């Protein structure tokens, strides 16, 4: 796997010799791991509000910054956390060493705003990193570049609504590098340095590159994500202004799109909030497993987040959900671990993974006549349903037809192993399901993000899941229209909503134009990933999705109309 580095990282006689990026071998343990535990924890768990973001919002700043004086998680047990991750089938654990609120979960020589100065008085990172190593879990840390607490960091709250009276960014940068030196030297080796909080104005690409090189020189095997720089991208393959983009991409609260030329990892909460929140909504086993499978099918990892309680325990219901995932992975994990994504790209149907001469199909939804897949240039020598039942397989012409009896179609994921007459890696990735009749057609919209054609309506009708139509921040209502070029009869529409930050669309209607005006043929509320709508055949040339209410600027990856 070629790790493409921005030109500015390549050796040049003017700049200092950059530290080398991690070797492909160092990335391999992580790519093969596929599944990790994210942990957002700190004194804010006493309030049950969001870490960092509730400081100065639901919780007055002064009150938030005093919480550490009451932080005494006496039931914290690093071994229990490590064993929970292991039982879940997770291979690495990423803990917030310091979030945007500035509180440090280790014994830092650079500040008293750390866990040693709480009633608890124990070094959480020392205990947890040791426990992880005992359980064979790779220990990693999340570290926020922005620090709304530290007097030298210029901004004091989300969006810089409050400013520090006498900031000193150079001094803060030294503090940041000093603490990272502590973490790597005293608690390492670390698997990953998961940076965050890079988006604010005080941070810049030069500091990012310097920090990347600093950490890499301390431990050359460490993997560093794209949020060390201004390179956070929505995996459209471009980075803002050529900024530095670290070693891998980090789509958040959504499954990344298929991408097998640069590593990526979706970070998603098992509940709704990153930090612990009483009675937060817990994701179902179905959503958790299908999210993991779809990440692996897209050639990415899943970092699934838990928010431990103020007493130090991970909520029992979250532990149980993770145990259920672990039980499934014990039986079928070989279809995910150490595989690569594809060759069939993920979709509403499911996903596929591959290793050696095998393809693993993960079928979430069975079409009536069985799953029809595009042909591949390898002969399938056998097919076996790992989840049980006999596989009916037809390979010929332009397709591969796969089915199992209704009684063996699993409610969450039917796993089928196809054995080939050669390596699966050479098969080019391909979409499943015909191209829609809206692909490539004229599209228009009531609003486009900063009038940037890179986010125009056509991006939702190009059959490319890596591009999207986007609207301006704060947009609550919008429409996107497709001109099919001539009247067509269609009975199925699939809408794939881009979901960074959750499902934004709250209500919509699907309409066709009958020459006089727009007529509604389908209504709905939230949409999400690859949502399919079926209805009695409609014949029309112009079709639109009319968004009546959205929480934030609606954005679609694909708006697909399928002729009957
Ligand atoms: O603001 C943080 C948020 O609290 C959380 O830590 C997520 C995890 O990826 N990152 C930032 C939002 O992008």
């Amino acid at each position: 796997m070629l790790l493409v580095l921005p030109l500015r990282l390549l050796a040049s006689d003017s700049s200092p010799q950059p530290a080398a990026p991690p070797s492909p071998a160092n990335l391999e343990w992580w790519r093969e791991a596929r599944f990790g535990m994210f942990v957002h924890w700190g004194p804010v768990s006493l309030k049950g509000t969001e870490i960092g973001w509730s400081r100065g919002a639901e919780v007055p700043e002064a009150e938030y910054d005093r919480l550490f004086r009451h932080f005494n998680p006496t039931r914290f047990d690093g071994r229990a956390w490590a064993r929970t991750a292991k039982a879940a089938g997770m291979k690495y654990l990423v803990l917030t060493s310091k979030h945007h609120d500035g509180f440090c979960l280790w014994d830092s020589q650079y500040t008293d705003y750390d866990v040693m100065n709480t009633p608890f008085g124990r070094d959480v990172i020392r205990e947890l990193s040791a426990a992880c190593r005992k359980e064979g879990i790779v220990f990693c840390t999340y570290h926020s570049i922005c620090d709304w607490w530290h007097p030298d960091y210029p901004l004091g709250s989300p969006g810089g609504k409050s400013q520090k009276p006498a900031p000193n960014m150079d001094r803060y940068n030294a503090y940041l590098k000093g603490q990272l030196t502590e973490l790597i030297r005293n608690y390492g080796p670390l698997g990953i340095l998961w940076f965050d909080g890079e988006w604010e104005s005080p941070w810049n690409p030069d500091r990012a590159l310097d920090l990347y090189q600093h950490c890499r020189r301390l431990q050359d095997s460490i993997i560093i994500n794209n949020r060390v720089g201004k390179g956070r991208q929505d995996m459209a393959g471009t980075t803002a202004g050529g900024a530095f983009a670290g070693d891998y991409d980090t789509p958040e609260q959504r499954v990344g799109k298929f991408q097998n030329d640069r590593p990526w990892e979706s970070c998603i909460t098992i509940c709704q909030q990153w930090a612990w929140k009483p009675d937060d909504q817990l994701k179902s086993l179905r959503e958790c497993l299908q999210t993991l499978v779809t990440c692996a099918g897209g050639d990415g990892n899943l970092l699934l987040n838990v928010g431990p309680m103020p007493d130090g325990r991970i909520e029992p219901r979250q532990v149980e959900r993770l145990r259920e995932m672990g039980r499934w992975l014990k039986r079928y994990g070989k279809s995910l671990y150490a595989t690569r994504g594809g060759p069939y790209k993920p979709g509403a149907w499911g996903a596929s993974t591959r290793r050696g001469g095998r393809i693993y199909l993960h079928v979430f939804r069975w079409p009536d006549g069985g799953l029809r897949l595009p042909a591949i240039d390898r002969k399938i020598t056998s097919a076996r349903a790992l989840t049980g039942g006999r596989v009916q397989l037809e390979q010929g012409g332009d397709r591969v037809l796969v089915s199992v009896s209704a009684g063996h179609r699993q409610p969450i994921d039917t796993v089928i192993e196809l054995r080939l007459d050669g390596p699966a890696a050479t098969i080019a990735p391909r979409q499943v399901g015909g191209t829609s009749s809206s692909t490539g057609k004229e599209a228009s919209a009531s609003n486009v993000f900063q009038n940037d054609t890179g986010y125009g309506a056509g991006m939702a009708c190009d059959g490319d899941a890596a591009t999207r139509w986007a609207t301006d921040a704060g947009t609550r209502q919008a429409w996107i229209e497709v001109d099919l070029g001539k009247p067509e009869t269609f009975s199925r529409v699939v809408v794939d909503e881009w979901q960074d930050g959750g499902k934004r669309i709250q209500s919509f209607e699907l309409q066709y134009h009958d020459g006089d005006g727009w007529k509604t043929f389908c209504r709905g509320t939230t949409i999400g990933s690859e949502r399919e709508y079926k209805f009695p055949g409609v014949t029309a040339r112009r079709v639109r999705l009319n968004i009546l209410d959205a929480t934030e600027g609606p954005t679609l990856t694909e708006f697909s109309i399928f002729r009957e």
Side-chain angles (χ1 to χ4, degrees):
M1 194 271 312
L2 175 65
L3 186 63
V4 180
L5 288 174
L7 283 177
R8 51 187 314 162
L9 254 187
L10 299 180
S12 69
D13 48 12
S14 59
S15 62
Q17 284 306 311
S23 71
N26 281 320
L27 279 162
E28 218 42 46
W29 74 263
W30 174 72
R31 294 194 81 141
E32 292 187 355
R34 281 298 181 230
F35 191 24
M37 177 185 275
F38 212 171
V39 183
H40 278 67
W41 196 42
V44 69
S45 55
L46 290 161
K47 301 295 285 183
T49 56
E50 188 58 286
I51 191 165
W53 295 91
S54 60
R55 179 178 181 272
E58 300 93 312
V59 185
E61 283 185 14
E63 180 187 350
Y64 190 111
D65 295 350
R66 284 196 303 270
L67 290 172
F68 79 111
R69 294 181 186 151
H70 312 283
F71 188 53
N72 192 17
T74 52
R75 298 186 70 176
F76 167 73
D77 176 356
R79 290 167 308 169
W81 288 18
R83 287 173 185 156
T84 296
K86 187 173 182 179
M90 295 163 152
K91 304 298 183 185
Y92 60 103
L93 183 150
V94 181
L95 170 70
T96 51
S97 48
K98 184 197 78 164
H99 202 264
H100 314 329
D101 61 11
F103 181 77
C104 303
L105 276 174
W106 79 100
D107 181 4
S108 174
Q109 306 313 311
Y110 290 85
T111 180
D112 290 337
Y113 193 42
D114 71 15
V115 70
M116 305 314 285
N117 294 287
T118 66
F120 188 56
R122 282 162 45 188
D123 188 334
V124 166
I125 289 189
R126 175 145 336 273
E127 294 184 28
L128 183 56
S129 59
C132 283
R133 289 185 182 102
K134 276 210 184 73
E135 297 296 332
I137 298 288
V138 177
F139 181 72
C140 315
T141 54
Y142 159 117
H143 203 75
S144 178
I145 289 165
C146 72
D147 188 323
W148 297 330
W149 171 86
H150 196 283
D152 284 335
Y153 182 78
L155 306 183
S157 61
K161 288 192 286 295
S162 66
Q163 317 268 330
K164 307 288 175 46
N168 182 319
M169 192 58 194
D170 287 338
R171 198 163 54 205
Y172 175 72
N173 201 48
Y175 171 82
L176 179 66
K177 291 170 75 173
Q179 289 200 321
L180 285 160
T181 303
E182 285 185 315
L183 287 168
I184 295 170
R185 283 208 174 125
N186 303 342
Y187 304 90
L190 305 178
I192 296 167
L193 249 182
W194 213 100
F195 285 107
D196 202 11
E198 83 293 350
W199 64 85
E200 295 193 323
S201 57
W203 194 243
N204 64 47
D206 290 341
R207 292 190 191 281
L209 189 53
D210 172 60
L211 185 61
Y212 178 91
Q213 293 172 342
H214 171 77
C215 297
R216 177 142 331 289
R217 286 199 178 93
L218 287 165
Q219 181 192 323
D220 67 0
S221 63
I222 207 163
I223 298 170
I224 299 172
N225 73 350
N226 63 340
R227 302 188 189 189
V228 63
K230 297 275 188 182
R232 191 186 303 202
Q233 53 191 352
D234 56 10
M235 298 175 69
T238 56
T239 53
F244 182 56
D247 302 331
Y248 73 91
D249 295 335
T250 54
E252 178 170 325
Q253 294 293 31
R254 64 186 172 93
V255 173
K257 298 304 175 188
F258 185 91
Q259 174 178 289
N260 65 358
D261 60 354
R262 176 174 157 88
W264 62 271
E265 169 197 73
S266 279
C267 53
I268 296 175
T269 51
I270 198 168
C271 285
Q272 298 302 310
Q273 193 169 274
W274 292 100
W276 180 69
K277 175 182 174 187
D279 306 323
D280 198 354
Q281 189 188 336
L282 178 67
K283 287 183 173 71
S284 66
L285 176 62
R286 175 197 188 94
E287 184 170 359
C288 290
L289 280 176
Q290 291 188 348
T291 296
L292 172 61
V293 168
T294 310
C295 284
D299 205 42
N301 284 24
L302 172 63
L303 189 61
L304 189 59
N305 180 81
V306 295
M309 298 189 286
D311 68 3
R313 289 177 301 149
I314 297 172
E315 248 189 307
R317 61 183 184 135
Q318 295 183 27
V319 171
E320 181 49 30
R321 180 72 75 244
L322 292 172
R323 269 205 201 105
E324 291 172 325
M325 293 185 79
R327 283 195 287 269
W328 188 91
L329 284 164
K330 239 186 191 34
R331 298 187 66 182
Y332 313 115
K334 75 171 189 177
S335 65
L336 296 179
Y337 297 127
T339 63
R340 297 301 299 268
Y344 298 111
K345 291 182 180 179
W349 71 276
S352 69
T353 55
R354 48 181 155 178
R355 182 180 53 242
R358 295 181 181 156
I359 294 173
Y360 296 98
L361 302 178
H362 295 267
V363 186
F364 302 158
R365 281 189 200 167
W366 284 98
D368 298 344
L371 180 64
R372 180 182 177 137
L373 300 168
I376 54 174
D377 49 6
R378 284 265 178 238
K379 180 169 174 27
I380 299 169
T381 57
S382 70
R384 180 164 73 96
L386 303 187
T387 42
R390 195 173 60 81
V391 177
Q392 291 93 37
L393 176 81
E394 277 176 46
Q395 180 178 20
D398 64 346
R399 66 179 188 174
V400 173
L401 197 56
V402 181
S403 189
V404 295
S405 66
H408 287 102
R409 294 179 176 185
Q410 303 300 313
I412 295 181
D413 181 6
T414 304
V415 186
I416 294 172
E417 178 188 78
L418 303 178
R419 293 194 182 199
L420 310 176
D421 65 352
T426 59
I427 301 169
R430 57 207 61 201
Q431 294 281 28
V432 175
T435 52
S436 68
S437 47
S438 48
T439 303
K441 294 300 191 316
E442 277 302 308
S444 57
S446 58
N447 175 282
V448 171
F449 177 69
Q450 297 180 352
N451 291 316
D452 178 348
T453 53
Y455 291 101
M459 295 297 138
C461 301
D462 61 359
D464 182 349
T467 62
R468 60 192 169 99
W469 164 57
T471 55
D472 285 323
T475 301
R476 305 290 300 267
Q477 295 177 339
W479 52 258
I480 179 170
E481 176 187 337
V482 179
D483 183 336
L484 300 174
K486 64 181 185 336
E488 298 240 18
T489 300
F490 53 90
S491 55
R492 188 162 74 93
V493 168
V494 174
V495 185
D496 186 19
E497 182 178 10
W498 190 83
Q499 293 179 70
D500 204 8
K503 297 173 182 171
R504 298 181 180 188
I505 295 171
Q506 300 300 302
S507 82
F508 69 90
E509 49 196 12
L510 285 168
Q511 300 178 311
Y512 69 91
H513 200 281
D514 67 355
D516 294 331
W518 289 101
K519 300 290 186 297
T520 299
F521 59 88
C522 180
R523 283 189 176 81
T525 55
T526 55
I527 296 180
S529 283
E530 306 245 357
R531 188 70 179 273
E532 181 181 63
Y533 301 92
K534 289 184 174 177
F535 36 81
V538 170
T539 301
R541 167 174 170 172
R542 296 168 61 196
V543 187
R544 77 174 185 179
L545 173 73
N546 188 27
I547 299 161
L548 303 171
D549 182 31
T551 56
E552 183 38 85
T555 174
L556 300 185
T557 307
E558 285 302 305
F559 176 36
S560 307
I561 300 159
F562 291 89
R563 67 172 67 84
E564 274 195 329

